[in-house]
Amino acid sequence: MSTTTPIRLFFALDARAQAEPLLAIQRRWLQAIAHPAAHCQGNPQPASQPSPVSAENLHLTLLFLGNLPTSQIPRLSQQASQVVEALALAPFAIRLDRLGLFPKARVARMAPSQTPEPLLRLEAQLRQAVMALGIPVEARPYRPHVTLLRKCQAATTAEVSPVELCANALHLYESRSTPEGVRYLQLASWPFTPSVFSKRSVSAGSAPSAAG
Ligand code: 2AM
């Protein structure tokens, strides 16, 4: 492939470790659509069938970059590495506790009702770093979510248990179209390092004392 060939890129967190509960919610949603009287709001007879996101494609997007030449990957990687290092992020939890629909995009998703502070900082810093390279990014506010179904027009009121993601690395993904459908491939990763404080408290075997 030539370095000028554009590929579709985005930064995201990996959600595959929670594939089991996420796919269980996806199945509940599909059931609710199939039996609209029970747990479904919206168009009960959609024109197209919802398309489930496969277990290996589950992720939480941080920043969509669009089509870029592969020659941009080293510069993007350098920026991502600097952002992760400067923020000195330790792994953190994201509690997905809200089912919802983006009706225009026809995306059924699971989202956090409380966005963790480290996630907001990571997104903001990454956005700035990418803009500093002269790469245009969408200006719309960040709404973190994990997409479960595409081409979905019906929201559901089904009750589901929250799913906790562990954010432990930033990844640069390529979105590649294949005859079997879209595949999201990790091109590079920047792990978050456990903080010195938590390493010490684990090795000392003591719980951190309460402040105040
Ligand atoms: P999602 O985050 O809602 O799942 C690759 O296309 C990934 O980037 C998908 O996860 C997709 O949606 C996300 N994305 C964000 N903005 C996008 C856009 N304008 N076009 C395509 N994908 C976008």
Side-chain angles (χ1 to χ4, degrees), residues 8 10 59 61 64 138 140 145 147 150 184:
R8 180 174 276 217
F10 61 101
H59 67 279
T61 301
F64 180 71
E138 287 167 346
R140 62 185 169 186
H145 63 277
T147 298
R150 300 197 186 277
Y184 299 141

Side-chain angles (χ1 to χ4, degrees), residues 125-149:
Q125 294 298 313
L126 208 50
R127 175 180 290 271
Q128 267 194 15
V130 167
M131 284 167 63
L133 294 177
I135 296 172
V137 290
E138 287 167 346
R140 62 185 169 186
Y142 181 49
R143 297 179 73 184
H145 63 277
V146 174
T147 298
L148 299 177
L149 300 169

Side-chain angles (χ1 to χ4, degrees), residues 28-188:
R28 287 217 47 200
W29 203 314
L30 287 168
Q31 280 163 6
I33 292 170
H35 305 285
H39 284 298
C40 187
Q41 294 170 335
N43 183 354
Q45 284 179 330
S48 58
Q49 284 302 308
S51 140
V53 174
S54 63
E56 65 269 25
N57 274 351
L58 288 168
H59 67 279
L60 185 148
T61 301
L62 271 151
L63 191 63
F64 180 71
L65 302 167
N67 290 326
L68 291 173
T70 52
S71 58
Q72 292 278 23
I73 293 174
R75 296 204 305 153
L76 283 166
S77 298
Q78 196 183 15
Q79 294 292 73
S81 168
Q82 277 173 12
V83 164
V84 169
E85 203 181 317
L87 288 174
L89 289 179
F92 59 94
I94 305 172
R95 191 170 188 266
L96 305 172
D97 56 358
R98 194 177 269 177
L99 285 180
L101 190 71
F102 291 137
K104 248 171 124 180
R106 297 192 301 159
V107 159
R109 41 92 178 147
M110 189 82 175
S113 52
Q114 301 268 325
T115 305
E117 191 59 35
L119 184 62
L120 289 175
R121 276 190 282 138
L122 181 58
E123 191 272 339
Q125 294 298 313
L126 208 50
R127 175 180 290 271
Q128 267 194 15
V130 167
M131 284 167 63
L133 294 177
I135 296 172
V137 290
E138 287 167 346
R140 62 185 169 186
Y142 181 49
R143 297 179 73 184
H145 63 277
V146 174
T147 298
L148 299 177
L149 300 169
R150 300 197 186 277
K151 293 187 237 156
C152 180
Q153 290 169 293
T156 177
T157 54
E159 295 228 340
V160 296
S161 301
V163 175
E164 197 148 293
L165 294 187
C166 175
N168 54 15
L170 169 68
H171 306 278
L172 177 64
Y173 281 84
E174 176 188 354
S175 165
R176 188 181 294 176
S177 293
T178 75
E180 292 77 42
V182 71
R183 287 289 319 276
Y184 299 141
L185 308 168
Q186 287 179 0
L187 303 182

